[in-house]
Amino acid sequence: MEEKVKTRTGYVLEMVKNIRILALNGKNNFRKYLFDPLYEAGWYNDTSRQSTVKLIERMKEQERDPSFIHTIAPQCKRLICYSMAEGLSALGNSSIFFLEKIQWDQRVSLSSESIEFTDIIMPPLNEFMKMNSENNEKLFTEAVASAKKDEILTAFVPVRLSSGGGKIKLDSEIKRLYNNIQIASKYQNIPKCMKLLSTYIIQYSDNDDYARGDVEKLIDAMTKREPGFDTDLKNTMAIDLYYRIRKSVHSGEIRTTIQAIRKYGYIFEGDSSAKHFYDIDRLERILYKIITEKDLWKELKKESRGQ
Amino acid sequence: MGEALLKISESVNDGICVITPSGDIDAHTAPQFKEAIEKNIASGNIRIVFDFSSLNYISSAGIGLLNAALNSLKGKGGKMSIACATPSVNDTLEVMYFTRKVPVRKNIDSAKKDV
């Protein structure tokens, strides 16, 4: 059972992101793909006298005490049951709260409540994301096609760190990362180490002076200590970037979309096993086609040369 | 939009390997391109020229592979260069900043001098 749960936790971050995307797609979808499946599974409970915000606050206070760890999953289940009676927003927040607990502590992820919860919500969320993916391409095409010329051009402007202050900043950032990982690692906080590394890589990997060697050493060291760390990190970054792309497509922030596509390319270096590899590739083809149609290549090149 | 096709030819002369992909390099064909690059590096061909005269399209997946090849070659004391890129491929390489790392030459002889 432990192996099954370990594999499942790889999908938890994706479920969190999917719920956030679902929330952007209207009440009807939220009800259909999250509320209804839980309701049909008998999770609805309208007997609580406290708001979910208060319940979450109380749980946060309790979790400082390690002896409460085994109560987290049952309490989260109750929280979700009560939140369903409070409203869709409360249900979304409670679901994300529970998923984050599952993601951050294996003792929580091994509980029967966690397994039951993810078993209920994973199939409908996957169904929603599949349906939404096609719509996403349509939205992306419309967003790029209607984007202002300047908006597309500035999306390709590189972050230049090669000279002066920029290089110094990047050097100090890698030192800071190293120190923070040492501290997190000392306290066995593997998820924190992963978060620190993924944030750093996503932010700086497409820069000229990205400290690739140092980052790889850190990942190797963490993977020796926690087998599977490298794969989980890869999944975390792919999901994070894909979520940025989908969210920015939805809100018409074309600059963020383009930057995230480029970062994905540099981080995964054509690795077809990376999550969302083919989805992102399709969006990229659409983007280049529209740039060609709008005859923007010449100006894009000027921007990328800093002219 | 149908799946992209890619054909790859390779030749080695005077210790320089010339890899010529024809068609599109995208998510679907990237594994094929990756295999060709890795096979050559593994067999000791660490001076590589990519002849892009017949390449119609390259996505960030393909540029990512070139970046990986560049890092791998650097680690082995090798070099790479790009020649004869079609205008659209050259545009993509440039806006994705890859031409800052590896110059694109007008012909294969010039590219061979780089490696």
Side-chain angles (χ1 to χ4, degrees):
Chain A
M1 184 173 116
E2 189 155 338
E3 186 55 36
K4 189 183 171 196
V5 174
K6 197 167 169 51
T7 311
R8 187 192 304 266
T9 54
Y11 291 96
V12 171
L13 176 64
E14 191 142 38
M15 282 192 266
V16 171
K17 303 288 189 192
N18 290 350
I19 289 173
R20 291 192 195 280
I21 290 170
L22 184 60
L24 297 169
N25 282 271
K27 282 183 182 176
N28 288 343
N29 280 322
F30 204 84
R31 185 172 285 281
K32 182 178 175 187
Y33 294 102
L34 188 65
F35 182 93
D36 288 353
L38 287 163
Y39 187 87
E40 283 159 20
W43 277 48
Y44 184 88
N45 187 325
D46 60 0
T47 60
S48 175
R49 289 180 184 175
Q50 277 191 305
S51 70
T52 49
V53 173
K54 282 260 161 54
L55 290 170
I56 288 174
E57 271 173 21
R58 203 176 68 197
M59 284 179 69
K60 279 181 179 169
E61 278 170 26
Q62 285 177 350
E63 70 188 21
R64 290 185 196 132
D65 180 349
S67 64
F68 276 92
I69 188 75
H70 297 291
T71 71
I72 289 178
Q75 285 199 79
C76 281
K77 180 175 177 179
R78 268 199 301 279
L79 171 75
I80 288 171
C81 295
Y82 293 150
S83 72
M84 291 176 72
E86 191 177 317
L88 295 178
S89 175
L91 171 61
N93 292 335
S94 306
S95 298
I96 288 170
F97 181 77
F98 191 10
L99 288 169
E100 284 174 349
K101 297 293 154 213
I102 293 172
Q103 191 191 348
W104 289 63
D105 197 307
Q106 203 178 28
R107 287 168 295 183
V108 179
S109 72
L110 288 167
S111 69
S112 58
E113 291 84 1
S114 303
I115 294 166
E116 186 189 359
F117 181 58
T118 52
D119 271 349
I120 295 168
I121 66 167
M122 203 194 303
L125 283 178
N126 286 345
E127 187 192 328
F128 166 74
M129 291 308 282
K130 196 177 164 194
M131 180 201 78
N132 191 249
S133 178
E134 287 159 20
N135 189 35
N136 203 44
E137 279 179 37
K138 192 170 158 263
L139 279 172
F140 182 71
T141 309
E142 286 167 6
V144 181
S146 63
K148 286 178 190 153
K149 196 169 154 186
D150 288 349
E151 203 179 355
I152 298 180
L153 293 177
T154 53
F156 280 90
V157 176
V159 180
R160 290 192 177 80
L161 292 168
S162 300
S163 58
K167 177 81 170 75
I168 293 164
K169 185 184 175 228
L170 204 58
D171 285 346
S172 69
E173 281 292 316
I174 188 75
K175 278 179 197 149
R176 203 159 66 92
L177 172 72
Y178 185 78
N179 289 336
N180 287 340
I181 284 181
Q182 265 196 328
I183 295 164
S185 174
K186 192 175 160 188
Y187 291 101
Q188 308 281 339
N189 197 340
I190 303 298
K192 172 100 177 172
C193 295
M194 193 169 293
K195 181 78 184 159
L196 287 165
L197 264 166
S198 70
T199 305
Y200 179 86
I201 296 171
I202 288 174
Q203 183 157 3
Y204 297 115
S205 58
D206 56 347
N207 290 329
D208 294 346
D209 296 305
Y210 170 58
R212 169 184 289 274
D214 293 333
V215 169
E216 281 174 0
K217 276 182 207 160
L218 280 169
I219 296 171
D220 285 347
M222 289 306 301
T223 307
K224 272 182 194 151
R225 183 172 167 174
E226 184 76 13
F229 181 89
D230 49 356
T231 311
D232 285 347
L233 175 67
K234 217 172 97 171
N235 288 341
T236 301
M237 291 188 294
I239 292 165
D240 190 315
L241 285 169
Y242 186 58
Y243 172 69
R244 281 187 202 197
I245 290 167
R246 293 193 78 142
K247 189 168 176 281
S248 58
V249 165
H250 199 275
S251 51
E253 294 163 28
I254 191 69
R255 187 167 190 249
T256 308
T257 312
I258 294 171
Q259 285 173 338
I261 287 176
R262 189 179 65 215
K263 282 177 186 293
Y264 188 95
Y266 270 93
I267 291 171
F268 294 104
E269 298 188 324
D271 177 0
S272 58
S273 70
K275 272 181 179 286
H276 304 301
F277 185 67
Y278 295 98
D279 300 315
I280 290 172
D281 196 73
R282 277 198 297 276
L283 296 180
E284 201 179 347
R285 246 188 206 275
I286 295 168
L287 173 68
Y288 291 158
K289 187 171 171 271
I290 293 170
I291 288 172
T292 305
E293 283 169 6
K294 289 193 168 208
D295 196 21
L296 287 174
W297 285 112
K298 204 174 165 185
E299 285 176 79
L300 279 172
K301 287 195 289 184
K302 267 192 210 165
E303 290 284 340
S304 68
R305 288 177 198 143
Q307 290 173 357
Chain B
M1 205 177 293
E3 273 191 26
L5 290 171
L6 182 70
K7 285 182 182 172
I8 300 172
S9 63
E10 299 155 27
S11 63
V12 182
N13 280 310
D14 301 327
I16 297 174
C17 172
V18 179
I19 299 176
T20 311
S22 307
D24 292 5
I25 301 175
D26 66 2
H28 296 278
T29 57
Q32 192 188 340
F33 187 51
K34 184 182 182 185
E35 193 188 334
I37 296 171
E38 286 180 348
K39 189 187 74 187
N40 274 291
I41 296 176
S43 62
N45 293 327
I46 57 168
R47 297 166 69 197
I48 299 179
V49 169
F50 291 96
D51 173 3
F52 282 172
S53 56
S54 304
L55 190 64
N56 303 318
Y57 174 83
I58 188 164
S59 71
S60 63
I63 293 169
L65 283 177
L66 290 174
N67 198 45
L70 179 66
N71 290 323
S72 172
L73 288 170
K74 274 183 186 168
K76 293 175 193 298
K79 282 183 176 177
M80 68 183 266
S81 188
I82 295 169
C84 313
T86 53
S88 63
V89 169
N90 193 59
D91 288 343
T92 314
L93 290 169
E94 198 166 327
V95 298
M96 296 291 277
Y97 320 143
F98 198 71
T99 49
R100 291 200 217 165
K101 300 181 179 195
V102 176
V104 179
R105 303 298 179 194
K106 284 187 178 164
N107 56 57
I108 292 177
D109 286 340
S110 305
K112 280 182 174 174
K113 285 178 191 161
D114 288 337
V115 299

